[in-house]
Amino acid sequence: MDSVTIPVVALLLSLLVFLGSGVWIALSLLAVSVVMFFFFTPVDAGPILASTMWDASWNWALTALPLFIWMGEILMRSGLSANLFRGLSPWVGRLPGGLLHVNVVGCGVMAAVSGSSAVTCATVGRMTVPELRKRNYDTRMMVGSLAGAGTFGLLIPPSIIMIVYGVIAQQSVARLFVAGIVPGLVLILLFSGYIALWSILNPERRGESPERVPFMQKLKASRDLIPVVLLILAIIGSIYRGLATPTEAASIGILGAFLLSVLNGTMSRRMFMDSLLAATRISCMISFIIACAACLSIAVGFADIPRVVASWVASLELSPMMLIAVLTLFFLILGCFLEGISILVLSSSVVLPMVDAAGIDLIWFGIFAVIVIECAQITPPVGFNLIVLKSMTGRGIGQVARDTLPFLFILLAAIALFALFPGLVTFLPNLMYQ
Amino acid sequence: ETKWVMASGYPEDSFFTQTIRQFIEDVETATDGEVQIDLRANGELIKLDAIRRAVQSGQVQLGEIRFGVYGNENPMYTLDSVPNVANDYDEARLLMEAQKPWFDKTFADAGMRILSYMPWPGQGFYTSFEVTDGSEFKDVKLRIYSPATQRMGELLGFQATILPFAEVPQAFSTGLIEALFTSAQTGVDIQAWDYASHFTYTGSMHNKNAIIINERALSRLDPKMQEAVIAAGEKATETAWKLSQEAGEARLKELQENGMTTSDASPELQAELAEIGEQMTAEWKESASPEEVEVLDSYLTSRE
Amino acid sequence: MEGKRFAGRGGGAGQLPDLQGVTSFPGRLIGPAASPARLEVLMFRAMAHKLYLFCGYAAGAFLAAIAVATLWQIVARQMGQAVETTELSGFCLAASTFLALAYTFVNGGHVRVGVVPQLFSGRISRGFELWCCAVGILITGYAAYQMTLFTLETYRFGELSPGMMAIPLWIPQSAVAFGLAVMCIGIIEQAGLILSGRTADYETNIDSTAE
Ligand code: NA
Ligand code: NA
């Protein structure tokens, strides 16, 4: 533990200085990784930074990111996402929390399509933020629920992080996917429940609720839902009918959104270019941060911080429940600075044997790890959902993080719930694969 | 005291990593702890495909590589992927001996040295139906990962589908792919019993991994220690041949324990594979240079 | 919204959106006292902005190429052809990300935390901006330099992509190195703007996409 005290302090301090003084997040991460390499590792920083940045930037799993963002841009600019809200509004608009539930459910649906949290958050946010703003919904609740629910991308299958976990922990990815379903639904309920409760307690901050309309008229308004619902069905269908991989499905989404906007007459050369360039800028911002975060993770890995700290935890010989509590804290802290997959990979060589030895089911632990890494997406300073929403709403990272805090607590509460009732996680996979 | 960093690509409990751990122990013992190696397994710092480059440019001193990745650079890297060129561990060993001079020269030219060769267990087909003579393969969607597996798949009547490894489990469960050609080890890694019911072992390919070292790093040791490191590498080759065989059998058992039906390929299927192997060997020869063909010929003579 | 702002400046429907810095800079810079030295600065800025824009369009084209390549792979699979575009898509992604760096930067698209600078204004705030730019110039310059060395080495080693297409890796890598270099130029140019007492483009063009 002592051997990494100085590197840890240096890591925190330099992050604080660069990020706090306003240096762009990606460049701060890169600068800190140079500092770490230079002072605390035996290797030459330059070549390894270059190769890490290169490897992180052409990762195939990431190619879905710009495509889904582009799809969101087209849907928003073509008015199709506005239609979606018009169609949903008479149905859910008068419930406590109103259209805020669209954030949660929308992220749940998007999560069934995309394997990443930033993609889920960015795609849904691109469609819902303008509409919710138009209807005067509380900004803080809107941002918080989006950032929180965006993390479902990791838990609800398909999920990149589960595939990575499956390979390093030698667990079946299929079982992990199935194991993620119930926790995903539980979290959707918890999030929606919190939104409803909040809305009842804060009636003065609710958004505009639509007129009460007769049932037949509601049905009529639902016609607006048809195009987007068809698109979603096409994307999900293409995956589950074995037509396309989850990554490829993004391109079906683009094609669909493009056709729909041609059909409703909103596609023009300018709209095409505007949506493409906006998607280029957003995806550039996110992918560049991902590449730089990979550099920092590798620097921290070479400085041996995760392994040493994890070994220290192992030496404490805790009871399973205490171990889970300590690991939650450990992952939460790592999650503030490192990118999700790296947290898992860098600590796995020590953490997994320790967990196995404590008699904890490795499928259960996979779901646990995924939820903790979901938390990492919404803890500052390096939280991808926070970054996405900051760019989308123009609010500060601190503000966005504060808005999201209740949802972070719900995620932590869910971990406690699943620790107390592990059957919620393991029941379904055990049922499906005897 | 010399401290080296080594990058490798597989999890702790894979026989590759076990072989490497043994190698590291041998180096440390033989040099009285003068040479210490910090192993970063599982691609945690450098991904498997990037390790050769990392060793070549000196980012790390040692690494584990998979030859098949470099098939686009030279056909020699995929000679062991041609079906029925080397059918069992003994033939795989002979093939390795025949290839060694070529590998030694190629890696020396690039400033590296191969310390040890590690064979993959033989491969087989994962399917959800019983395989008899191979006629069942017609139009079945097979996941392939290299030009060699593509060619073999197509010649067997499969419909070849290319997928990154990470997509395999999902693709299997949605029917995007219906068959897999890989080792028992990989089958256990992805828990293939959740997707497939039958494993038909053909043994027909023993691909190789290798432990490589940066020549400059090695030459900085005094000659005695250099010899110790090289000797440990040679011992690791023996270890790997043993562990690979054991792991192959153990993984096969694991497949059975998890309810899969495993069987050896029928003589009919083997005959078909041999025929395809012959055709692919001829094609391989066409793509190779005269010196490379000589390697194959010398192997074939040694096998006689 | 950013897209509309572009469109508004770009003019007619057939015209492509333009960078704010380019379309607006004559009004901002050419004063009555435009000296020859100033004109050179002006020329540099105009060229730099053209470069960002060109790279931005290229990045957009690579993004669209990902969609096309991936669709091609799906269609080919349905027709029983083994086409692999996963590597190609990955390379397009890398090229898109890095070529768009400077273009995104001057449009205020890169995100920052900046708690402290918000507390100040005037000279101190300008000091913070210059510090940020200095760090940015150093780090992107370093990254561009290292990535160039890396790319040259790849070329020397003759590395090919492992997939079916066997693409020489130095090709996509040079897009990454070039993008980083343009980003470095971009920060230098913006720092010059701040030094001459103006507000940087990345502050005026906040790319808040959902405004
Ligand atoms: Na998902
Ligand atoms: Na975080």
Side-chain angles (χ1 to χ4, degrees), chain B residues 108-288:
Chain B
D109 289 347
M112 291 175 283
R113 183 194 288 259
I114 298 177
L115 291 176
S116 165
Y117 296 84
M118 305 187 284
W120 277 81
Q123 314 210 19
F125 293 99
Y126 289 84
T127 51
S128 48
F129 48 83
E130 202 191 336
V131 176
T132 53
D133 57 354
S135 59
E136 301 87 352
F137 292 152
K138 183 126 187 54
D139 290 333
V140 168
K141 288 179 238 161
L142 172 76
R143 182 254 172 175
I144 55 160
Y145 53 88
S146 65
T149 50
Q150 176 181 13
R151 190 79 185 116
M152 184 193 74
E154 283 170 357
L155 289 173
L156 282 169
F158 280 108
Q159 210 183 89
T161 294
I162 305 164
L163 276 185
F165 182 69
E167 301 273 10
V168 166
Q170 168 99 6
F172 228 128
S173 51
T174 60
L176 187 62
I177 54 173
E178 296 156 332
L180 209 57
F181 181 70
T182 187
S183 66
Q185 174 76 49
T186 309
V188 170
D189 286 349
I190 64 161
Q191 319 238 322
W193 47 85
D194 283 347
Y195 319 100
S197 54
H198 289 73
F199 177 64
T200 312
Y201 183 76
T202 62
S204 44
M205 299 178 186
H206 289 276
N207 298 331
K208 289 188 283 292
N209 282 17
I211 299 177
I212 56 172
I213 188 167
N214 182 295
E215 188 68 51
R216 258 173 304 149
L218 182 65
S219 64
R220 283 199 203 106
L221 296 183
D222 74 54
K224 247 189 150 157
M225 293 206 189
Q226 290 187 29
E227 272 168 40
V229 171
I230 292 168
E234 275 160 13
K235 196 178 151 213
T237 303
E238 306 300 329
T239 315
W241 243 265
K242 196 168 123 276
L243 290 187
S244 171
Q245 233 157 326
E246 285 170 14
E249 283 157 24
R251 297 298 163 266
L252 207 60
K253 275 222 186 73
E254 214 167 316
L255 291 180
Q256 289 161 355
E257 277 161 17
N258 284 286
M260 287 192 78
T261 312
T262 66
S263 59
D264 283 333
S266 66
E268 291 90 347
L269 180 56
Q270 287 292 15
E272 195 178 347
L273 277 171
E275 202 176 303
I276 288 169
E278 224 145 87
Q279 186 179 343
M280 285 178 67
T281 307
E283 287 166 4
W284 185 89
K285 275 186 177 171
E286 262 166 46
S287 69

Side-chain angles (χ1 to χ4, degrees), chain A residues 111-112 114-115 152-154 156-159:
Chain A
S114 118
F152 294 165
L154 303 181
I156 296 175
S159 158

Side-chain angles (χ1 to χ4, degrees), chain A residues 181-215:
Chain A
I181 295 174
V182 173
L185 293 176
V186 168
L187 274 171
I188 290 181
L189 284 180
L190 287 176
F191 277 25
S192 271
Y194 172 74
I195 290 173
L197 194 70
W198 173 89
S199 162
I200 291 168
L201 294 178
N202 298 281
E204 73 288 351
R205 279 159 61 198
R206 276 160 57 172
E208 287 163 19
S209 66
E211 294 291 301
R212 195 183 290 277
V213 289
F215 183 79

